[in-house]
Amino acid sequence: MEEERVEESKVRVLIEKATNSTDSEVHPRLLKAIKSVVRNSDSELRVAAQTLMDLMKFDHSQVRYLTLLVIDELFMRSKLFRSLVVEKLDQLLTLSVGFRRNMLLPEPAAVASTLRSKAIEFLEKWNDSFGIYHRKLRLGYDYLKNTLRLQFPNIQANAMRRQQERMERERRSKEILLGKFEMLKGNFSSIKEEIQSTLDEIKECLDIVHSKEDARDMIPLDDDTTEEFRSVELRQIRLDALKGEMVHENHENKVIFDALRELYKLMSKHMVSIQEWISVLVRVDSTDVRFRDSALREFIDLQNSLRAVKRKCEELGCNFTENANHDDKDEDFWEEGPVGPTKNGGSFTSEKKNEDLVVELTSNVIKNADNSKTSGGAHVDNVVKNGEVCCSNSASSLRNKLLADAPVIEWGSFLNTWDSRTDILANQRGLELQSHWGRVDYDATIPAEKIAELNVRASLYKEDQPEIQPCRAPLRKGGLCPRRDLKVCPFHGPIVPRDDEGQPLNVSSTLDDTTPDLNIGSVEQLARQAVKNVRLRDKEAAEKREHDKKALKRAKLAKIREHNAGVLRDAALASTSISSALGENMETGGEGTGSGRNKKKTLASMLRKKVSTKDRLSRRLLGAKSSALTKRELTLNEDANYREAFPNQW
Amino acid sequence: MWKDIRDREAGKLRPNSFANRVKSDRTSSLQLSNHKDIVSPHRGSVNSLQVDLTEGRYLLSGASDASAAVFDIQRATHSEGLIAKHQCIFAVDKQHEHGHKYAISSAIWYPVDTGLFVTGSFDHHINVWDTNTTQVVVNFKLPGKVYRTAMSSLATSHMLIAAGTEDVQVRLCDISSGAFSHTLSGHRDGVMSVEWSASSEWVLITGGCDGAIRFWDIRRAGCFRVLDQSQSQLGRRPPISGWTANKLSTSKSLLASQGPNMKSRIPHKKLGNGNATKPSSTGKLPAKGSTRQRLHPGLLSGQDRSVSHYGAVTGLKVTGDGMYLLSAGSDSRLKLWDVESGCNTLVNFETMRLQTNKPLQLATSQDSSLVFAPCMATVKAFDMWTGKTSLTLSGHYEGVNCCWYNFPDQFCNVPQELYTGGNDRQILVWSPSRNSTELWTRRIGNRLQTRITGATDCRQQGSLVSMVIPTTRLCSPCT
């Protein structure tokens, strides 16, 4: 009996504790505790239902909101609780939806509106799942929906509609697939034939080319040192290197290659279409399974053979796409500029390199300009190219240079006379004024120099603010560090360029970028760079190690802290039954304990936005501490008086 | 329950009292029925409900959107899972060419059969409808809004509709001639409630907005009694046998011969027993009768001004045996009057609030032990003789206007149910809870199920039940 009462009070205390908070959710541990306590016995569930209904009457929306959340949790789980709550459903709805005009929802308006929407949502949910068992639930739902015409979220109906839409979509796509399948069935043989014929042609072409090339290749290969090109890869590289010359050298070859190129294009198109057909065949669920399987098999075979042919083509070293571009002779030619020299760098002198670099610099400008003049082939000498570039683009480059020098000036009327050398009539203003100051010389002019003098603009030096880059180091809670420091972020160290995920852009990659340039330079430079690289890498590794260590330490600390918090929470929970019962008593007696008062304050603070001076004063004066102090002082005074009055009686 | 059955088996309990006990048990366990929904077609508050008196099967409802509807309460139109939905068989509303324009305040069945029904409306009209063709047969134009209409269920020699209107005069509309046959004047304000006596076909009781309850004998001019709330007696009269009661109530001259001794009895002694089971007593009536002789036709002017409620009388209900009258007033009081003596019995019905601006429809259980009264959004069941609340039925979300208690006849083929209609447009069904009494429940439960599916005949089930409880057949002396 005694135990049971303790337990009962525990449920009540737990619920009161759970609802006495300013959060937008019930504390999950408390909720769990409530559920586990309630699960054990029906009497506690009854107590819980009673307590919750009492709490719903509390004159504070926040409390009602949290109570409603708890009610929902229990409602979805316990039949007994449902029957208990449904008995008083009209009351619950009145208190949570606030549809009666004389019983509106209490104060914090924001919470009240969420309370209302949540209550309506819950009611709908309850009605959907338990409506058939409880007439009152149906009645309440019906009343709110059809009589008061409140807006229900209609979750289930929406879900159903979405489902239906999806089904519809699926059905439509299936129809389309089926249509495609039928079409395929109709002209399967023709498709197959077409592809097969392309394949055959390519094979033939390849055979021809192969025979010729083999004949061609063997000769230079024999000429060169045979040892080097034994392995296939090296030979491949060699072929790659020689390829350009090959294409352009023999004209009888070219016809075949053109045909091959055409066929190659066709083949890639076929590949795509076969892929599509295969996907159609895989996805369609047709009754004609036999045809489907056979077609699928044949398509896969075709695909494989196409792939094989393609590989053969590529092995041959005919990179057709590149060649096609090459044939078009558009501006992409210029991209080869820097590549060409590096490829066969050994045959050029270092002086030419520099010129090449110049070309590379200007090429950006050139690319946009009309470069019809540079229609020469790849065999055009680099030097000639350089000269051509210079002469063809001198005008535009001059303009660019001038533009770079020109000052930027704000727009104004003075620009009308900018740079004009003509004199200006002084008295021709278009305004006929009767001058009273004597005769007017209408032909008076102001010399241009004077005008220019008058139009001299003063310009202030404006320091252009360099944009300080954000640190962008990844944060632990997600996102990037938004701090903007000049050089060093106090949290994440020196600011380095980082990618979108906050990882520092790899230094090695930048090195890779730079290496070709350096490669061009002398060996010393290279060595120096290497040393530098190694040092840099070492430094970085050390930094990283340090960073890792720090992070590890931090993680450890966080773990420990978390654990501690958990332990403390557990302890607090375990001791609730006694300590908060104590607090409860104290509160009913008069002033609450520290924690209780704290909670009250937070709830009350939701109600009262501003604390007036009066409140502050009264709190100061009427607080427990001060009142106790005054009491003691008074009693002391009284005591003193007494002692003074009756010195012989104490 | 089991004890009762054992007693019955041993012969300790008389069949009647056993049946009554079962019935009152069931009545006291009324709750919102989860298996029977009436799908209300009304778009306004439901003002009036009545189940027909012949079969106990068709529920007639009148609502303030000028619509009236008839439901079959025994056979569901369709069912969703376990829930049987009763949709209306037909409904008449504003769209009907002869329909009412404004709210229907009262809809009643023709007491003899279900071929006719009568609706009274705020558009000053009373329509008599043919149920089968849903056409207006007779139409009466009254001088004011019609609050309440009533037809006598006992009448064999007249077909009069008593109409309480905004007007001070009560009019009796004769269906057979299609004209007003009587105009009863005496009230000083509109008449909100009208009720025929359950013991005499000539006696009409009206309650007005002036707080007076008047008794009229329609064979003679003027009213013969005005109930006075200051005239009171304690408790009930001693019971008399049904036959003498009927005779006594019809012949008022006998009242004078009653002795002056006032008998007051402790009310709960009689609870639960039909009055026929009691041995017939001497039939002593309270003392006030001596002056009654010369009241009618020339009623004393002082008595003519007496009132029974402060404020309007919003509801009247005569008990099944015709000996008592219940009245509800806008002073939020229920009063129980002794019809014979015209005295207030001083039963204190527990504190409550009543709707004041609308006529209320009260209901009693069949042995007159319980009163069902709409109290704002709830219906409360009071014990008739002590005034204690025995049940509070809450299910409506707005005020309740009317209730009708349907009790089983001798064949038990009518569901024992309470119907309530409220301002929230709903008509709710309250049925005895299924787990109140096991045996009864099992039987009735099965019976209800089969009835819903409509597979078996009602009569057969009636005999089934009477086989289980062989004495039920004998148990209705007063109906």
Side-chain angles (χ1 to χ4, degrees):
Chain A
M1 188 65 204
E2 197 65 26
E3 252 184 39
E4 200 178 310
R5 219 167 37 204
V6 168
E7 282 295 280
E8 270 180 22
S9 71
K10 182 159 182 173
V11 181
R12 179 166 294 149
V13 165
L14 275 176
I15 288 174
E16 270 163 18
K17 208 173 163 62
T19 53
N20 196 354
S21 121
T22 53
D23 298 342
S24 62
E25 271 179 25
V26 185
H27 195 287
R29 293 179 78 96
L30 276 172
L31 196 60
K32 213 170 175 181
I34 291 171
K35 276 190 272 187
S36 70
V37 169
V38 153
R39 193 182 299 139
N40 290 330
S41 83
D42 284 355
S43 66
E44 271 157 40
L45 191 62
R46 280 172 210 280
V47 171
Q50 187 58 45
T51 313
L52 287 170
M53 289 310 288
D54 287 345
L55 276 172
M56 277 310 287
K57 291 173 191 152
F58 203 88
D59 197 19
H60 195 297
S61 281
Q62 176 69 17
V63 175
R64 287 192 188 183
Y65 176 67
L66 291 178
T67 312
L68 187 71
L69 291 182
V70 177
I71 286 179
D72 177 56
E73 282 291 329
L74 297 181
F75 194 93
M76 299 305 284
R77 282 167 178 75
S78 160
K79 189 182 174 192
L80 177 63
F81 188 81
R82 276 199 289 278
S83 58
L84 288 175
V85 166
V86 161
E87 276 302 303
K88 294 179 180 171
L89 187 72
D90 51 340
Q91 204 180 349
L92 179 66
L93 287 183
T94 311
L95 293 172
S96 58
V97 182
F99 58 85
R100 295 209 199 281
R101 209 159 300 153
N102 52 353
M103 286 178 75
L104 295 175
L105 294 180
E107 233 323 273
V111 186
S113 68
T114 52
L115 169 68
R116 174 179 295 121
S117 60
K118 207 76 180 170
I120 289 173
E121 192 188 316
F122 283 158
L123 180 64
E124 191 186 16
K125 189 172 73 178
W126 296 347
N127 183 49
D128 281 343
S129 31
F130 306 112
I132 48 165
Y133 306 115
H134 299 284
R135 176 84 172 104
K136 283 195 176 175
L137 213 51
R138 266 178 285 150
L139 269 181
Y141 178 75
D142 191 55
Y143 178 70
L144 290 191
K145 184 165 189 177
N146 296 330
T147 307
L148 297 185
R149 304 202 183 279
L150 292 182
Q151 204 60 51
F152 277 85
N154 260 337
I155 291 169
Q156 213 184 20
N158 281 344
M160 212 129 83
R161 211 186 49 225
R162 265 201 298 278
Q163 174 88 9
Q164 205 167 6
E165 269 171 20
R166 213 179 50 219
M167 297 258 283
E168 181 74 14
R169 224 172 20 240
E170 268 170 18
R171 199 179 52 79
R172 230 177 299 133
S173 65
K174 216 170 263 176
E175 261 175 22
I176 291 170
L177 269 181
L178 213 61
K180 272 187 185 171
F181 182 67
E182 291 301 325
M183 207 176 77
L184 178 66
K185 226 170 169 180
N187 45 16
F188 176 63
S189 56
S190 69
I191 290 172
K192 215 173 71 180
E193 247 169 49
E194 196 182 337
I195 294 172
Q196 199 60 52
S197 69
T198 322
L199 214 57
D200 290 343
E201 279 175 41
I202 287 184
K203 271 178 185 161
E204 277 167 23
C205 283
L206 277 180
D207 281 347
I208 297 168
V209 170
H210 226 59
S211 56
K212 283 192 178 175
E213 251 176 34
D214 274 353
R216 272 185 43 75
D217 273 355
M218 289 317 278
I219 304 159
L221 275 179
D222 286 342
D223 283 359
D224 280 346
T225 46
T226 45
E227 303 299 317
E228 271 186 15
F229 298 104
R230 269 292 137 76
S231 68
V232 180
E233 289 151 41
L234 283 175
R235 184 179 155 176
Q236 187 67 42
I237 292 168
R238 174 73 179 153
L239 276 177
D240 279 350
L242 288 175
K243 155 199 88 179
E245 288 160 313
M246 254 161 46
V247 175
H248 288 282
E249 266 190 17
N250 32 4
H251 292 282
E252 68 272 26
N253 213 354
K254 197 176 175 186
V255 182
I256 303 167
F257 265 83
D258 280 343
L260 208 52
R261 241 167 260 135
E262 287 297 313
L263 289 173
Y264 188 86
K265 266 185 203 165
L266 208 61
M267 189 171 67
S268 47
K269 256 182 222 164
H270 282 318
M271 289 275 277
V272 172
S273 70
I274 282 180
Q275 198 61 48
E276 271 174 14
W277 284 124
I278 286 176
S279 76
V280 165
L281 284 172
V282 165
R283 276 184 299 161
V284 80
D285 51 342
S286 154
T287 49
D288 195 355
V289 182
R290 222 159 45 114
F291 172 73
R292 196 182 76 169
D293 287 352
S294 65
L296 198 58
R297 206 171 301 131
E298 284 189 37
F299 269 132
I300 289 173
D301 286 347
L302 271 180
Q303 198 182 20
N304 284 340
S305 52
L306 273 180
R307 271 203 195 122
V309 169
K310 197 179 174 191
R311 205 177 310 124
K312 226 179 264 175
C313 284
E314 275 157 10
E315 259 173 27
L316 194 66
C318 315
N319 197 347
F320 290 100
T321 49
E322 198 184 292
N323 280 348
N325 281 341
H326 190 109
D327 270 14
D328 290 346
K329 294 179 180 166
D330 52 13
E331 65 272 333
D332 280 350
F333 167 71
W334 283 102
E335 289 187 340
E336 274 189 6
V339 181
T342 46
K343 244 183 209 165
N344 31 9
S347 62
F348 284 93
T349 55
S350 58
E351 297 146 31
K352 279 189 178 173
K353 276 282 145 339
N354 294 337
E355 285 169 3
D356 257 17
L357 282 176
V358 173
V359 173
E360 205 178 330
L361 282 175
T362 50
S363 67
N364 287 333
V365 183
I366 297 157
K367 225 191 260 179
N368 295 331
D370 177 30
N371 50 0
S372 57
K373 282 181 188 172
T374 61
S375 55
H379 53 277
V380 175
D381 203 3
N382 271 322
V383 188
V384 179
K385 198 166 56 184
N386 202 5
E388 264 183 13
V389 164
C390 283
C391 67
S392 68
N393 291 298
S394 56
S396 62
S397 67
L398 178 69
R399 183 179 153 74
N400 282 340
K401 217 156 75 183
L402 285 175
L403 272 179
D405 282 347
V408 179
I409 284 179
E410 285 174 31
W411 179 261
S413 61
F414 69 94
L415 287 176
N416 292 344
T417 55
W418 186 266
D419 222 11
S420 72
R421 300 250 170 252
T422 53
D423 297 344
I424 285 176
L425 289 169
N427 285 327
Q428 300 282 338
R429 289 166 298 192
L431 199 64
E432 288 295 324
L433 286 177
Q434 280 295 325
S435 179
H436 301 285
W437 303 102
R439 287 187 346 182
V440 177
D441 180 11
Y442 287 107
D443 298 331
T445 56
I446 303 173
E449 296 90 56
K450 207 74 181 171
I451 291 290
E453 221 168 276
L454 285 171
N455 275 339
V456 162
R457 309 280 302 176
S459 68
L460 292 171
Y461 171 66
K462 258 189 271 165
E463 194 178 14
D464 50 341
Q465 291 286 335
E467 210 204 338
I468 302 170
Q469 291 300 320
C471 170
R472 286 168 60 80
L475 294 175
R476 247 183 310 163
K477 61 178 181 188
L480 302 174
C481 176
R483 269 193 75 93
R484 286 169 190 268
D485 293 290
L486 266 182
K487 282 173 185 164
V488 182
C489 174
F491 302 111
H492 303 101
I495 290 163
V496 287
R498 292 166 191 270
D499 60 7
D500 289 338
E501 281 162 23
Q503 301 300 324
L505 288 174
N506 210 353
V507 185
S508 58
S509 74
T510 56
L511 279 182
D512 283 350
D513 288 344
T514 52
T515 34
D517 291 349
L518 289 166
N519 217 354
I520 301 155
S522 59
V523 182
E524 292 154 54
Q525 244 178 340
L526 231 160
R528 221 178 296 148
Q529 184 59 40
V531 169
K532 216 173 173 180
N533 282 351
V534 167
R535 271 186 199 154
L536 229 148
R537 225 166 271 166
D538 276 357
K539 205 166 147 194
E540 205 175 325
E543 213 171 71
K544 202 177 172 190
R545 233 176 296 142
E546 205 176 355
H547 194 259
D548 279 358
K549 220 187 275 173
K550 258 187 204 163
L552 212 70
K553 212 167 171 186
R554 225 176 289 147
K556 212 169 172 183
L557 273 177
K559 216 180 202 172
I560 289 171
R561 224 173 303 146
E562 209 168 303
H563 172 75
N564 282 348
V567 166
L568 281 177
R569 249 201 316 269
D570 280 346
L573 271 183
S575 65
T576 43
S577 60
I578 302 158
S579 61
S580 14
L582 268 176
E584 190 75 9
N585 288 341
M586 295 280 277
E587 233 169 48
T588 50
E591 280 290 332
T593 56
S595 68
R597 209 175 43 189
N598 240 349
K599 288 276 168 53
K600 274 276 183 290
K601 224 195 287 176
T602 51
L603 269 183
S605 67
M606 295 181 73
L607 281 178
R608 187 179 56 214
K609 283 204 184 64
K610 267 188 186 166
V611 181
S612 63
T613 1
K614 199 175 159 190
D615 292 329
R616 249 178 287 135
L617 272 178
S618 67
R619 208 188 307 143
R620 210 46 180 296
L621 292 177
L622 304 175
K625 221 168 164 187
S626 57
S627 67
L629 216 95
T630 32
K631 215 180 269 174
R632 208 179 57 201
E633 210 161 300
L634 281 177
T635 48
L636 264 179
N637 273 343
E638 218 168 310
D639 219 21
N641 281 343
Y642 179 74
R643 283 181 191 190
E644 245 171 50
F646 305 100
N648 54 347
Q649 286 187 7
W650 49 276
Chain B
M1 182 65 201
W2 293 112
K3 185 173 160 294
D4 283 352
I5 289 171
R6 207 172 52 238
D7 285 353
R8 176 71 204 107
E9 228 170 69
K12 280 189 222 165
L13 260 179
R14 309 236 346 239
N16 263 344
S17 62
F18 175 70
N20 283 337
R21 230 174 257 193
V22 170
K23 281 181 192 169
S24 63
D25 260 7
R26 281 169 60 72
T27 309
S28 59
S29 66
L30 280 180
Q31 64 180 23
L32 197 56
S33 167
N34 192 31
H35 304 285
K36 200 167 182 180
D37 277 10
I38 292 183
V39 184
S40 165
H42 302 301
R43 267 166 301 174
S45 56
V46 179
N47 288 329
S48 167
L49 283 176
Q50 195 187 18
V51 178
D52 73 307
L53 304 171
T54 46
E55 281 180 272
R57 177 167 177 180
Y58 298 105
L59 176 71
L60 174 67
S61 66
S64 22
D65 64 339
S67 67
V70 174
F71 306 89
D72 185 346
I73 52 171
Q74 289 186 8
R75 188 160 302 178
T77 47
H78 62 283
S79 57
E80 291 172 8
L82 285 175
I83 308 158
K85 298 268 185 190
H86 295 256
Q87 265 170 345
C88 59
I89 300 170
F90 67 85
V92 287
D93 52 10
K94 279 183 201 172
Q95 265 71 48
H96 193 279
E97 52 180 335
H98 300 298
H100 287 292
K101 280 208 281 291
Y102 303 133
I104 290 179
S105 56
S106 145
I108 54 167
W109 285 107
Y110 182 62
V112 181
D113 59 42
T114 51
L116 291 176
F117 66 92
V118 180
T119 55
S121 161
F122 279 6
D123 62 358
H124 303 194
H125 280 280
I126 290 179
N127 286 354
V128 180
W129 301 77
D130 185 333
T131 316
N132 293 314
T133 60
T134 60
Q135 293 298 321
V136 176
V137 193
V138 190
N139 187 2
F140 299 98
K141 169 95 169 79
L142 285 121
K145 289 179 188 169
V146 180
Y147 286 128
R148 191 56 84 192
T149 54
M151 292 192 80
S152 172
S153 56
L154 299 176
T156 51
S157 55
H158 68 76
M159 312 168 65
L160 294 176
I161 305 167
T165 62
E166 225 176 7
D167 192 39
V168 293
Q169 293 171 328
V170 178
R171 299 194 182 227
L172 301 185
C173 317
D174 193 350
I175 299 178
S176 54
S177 68
F180 302 132
S181 63
H182 296 63
T183 305
L184 310 173
S185 38
H187 281 289
R188 293 178 177 79
D189 203 345
V191 179
M192 262 209 180
S193 48
V194 180
E195 185 86 4
W196 288 91
S197 162
S199 51
S200 162
E201 61 171 308
W202 311 112
V203 175
L204 178 71
I205 308 164
T206 58
C209 294
D210 53 355
I213 298 175
R214 287 171 184 270
F215 282 65
W216 315 83
D217 187 335
I218 60 167
R219 292 166 299 185
R220 304 170 82 166
C223 87
F224 68 87
R225 181 179 295 157
V226 182
L227 294 183
D228 188 352
Q229 58 183 341
S230 58
Q231 277 190 353
S232 56
Q233 70 183 36
L234 267 176
R236 307 175 64 176
R237 271 178 299 136
I240 31 174
S241 67
W243 283 110
T244 33
N246 263 347
K247 273 182 189 163
L248 278 178
S249 56
T250 45
S251 54
K252 295 294 175 287
S253 54
L254 271 180
L255 285 173
S257 69
Q258 300 304 323
N261 54 335
M262 173 132 122
K263 257 232 162 93
S264 63
R265 297 190 45 144
I266 305 159
H268 58 79
K269 264 193 181 172
K270 185 128 186 316
L271 246 182
N273 290 343
N275 44 10
T277 62
K278 287 276 173 177
S280 59
S281 69
T282 49
K284 300 249 165 120
L285 285 178
K288 304 294 178 187
S290 53
T291 51
R292 284 290 175 274
Q293 184 107 40
R294 49 198 177 88
L295 289 186
H296 185 67
L299 206 64
L300 277 184
S301 63
Q303 277 164 336
D304 193 34
R305 294 192 170 279
S306 57
V307 290
S308 46
H309 281 278
Y310 298 110
V313 178
T314 51
L316 285 177
K317 177 76 188 172
V318 183
T319 57
D321 54 9
M323 292 202 289
Y324 293 92
L325 173 72
L326 274 160
S327 67
S330 60
D331 52 355
S332 284
R333 276 188 200 286
L334 272 184
K335 284 181 180 169
L336 182 65
W337 307 85
D338 191 326
V339 170
E340 296 299 333
S341 64
C343 291
N344 185 0
T345 54
L346 293 182
V347 175
N348 178 30
F349 291 96
E350 280 179 347
T351 48
M352 54 174 182
R353 271 180 71 206
L354 296 179
Q355 272 193 338
T356 56
N357 50 357
K358 267 190 167 180
L360 295 178
Q361 196 182 324
L362 309 169
T364 58
S365 65
Q366 77 266 31
D367 57 351
S368 305
S369 60
L370 284 180
V371 190
F372 297 100
C375 307
M376 304 311 283
T378 63
V379 176
K380 283 188 177 173
F382 298 102
D383 189 295
M384 180 88 84
W385 313 115
T386 60
K388 292 245 165 57
T389 312
S390 72
L391 280 174
T392 303
L393 310 172
S394 59
H396 284 284
Y397 279 82
E398 281 170 33
V400 183
N401 294 321
C402 49
C403 46
W404 181 267
Y405 187 69
N406 200 20
F407 37 81
D409 60 2
Q410 67 252 36
F411 300 113
C412 286
N413 54 10
V414 173
Q416 189 175 7
E417 282 169 339
L418 178 77
Y419 307 99
T420 58
N423 286 336
D424 57 353
R425 312 176 304 141
Q426 297 286 346
I427 300 171
L428 297 188
V429 184
W430 308 81
S431 56
S433 72
R434 294 189 151 195
N435 51 7
S436 64
T437 53
E438 281 144 74
L439 177 139
W440 191 263
T441 310
R442 210 155 293 155
R443 278 291 150 197
I444 297 291
N446 289 343
R447 204 158 53 84
L448 279 179
Q449 287 298 340
T450 48
R451 176 166 299 150
I452 285 166
T453 52
T456 29
D457 185 24
C458 297
R459 290 287 157 156
Q460 224 174 345
Q461 287 151 14
S463 63
L464 237 180
V465 172
S466 58
M467 264 166 58
V468 175
I469 305 157
T471 52
T472 339
R473 200 179 278 272
L474 307 169
C475 71
S476 53
C478 53
T479 45

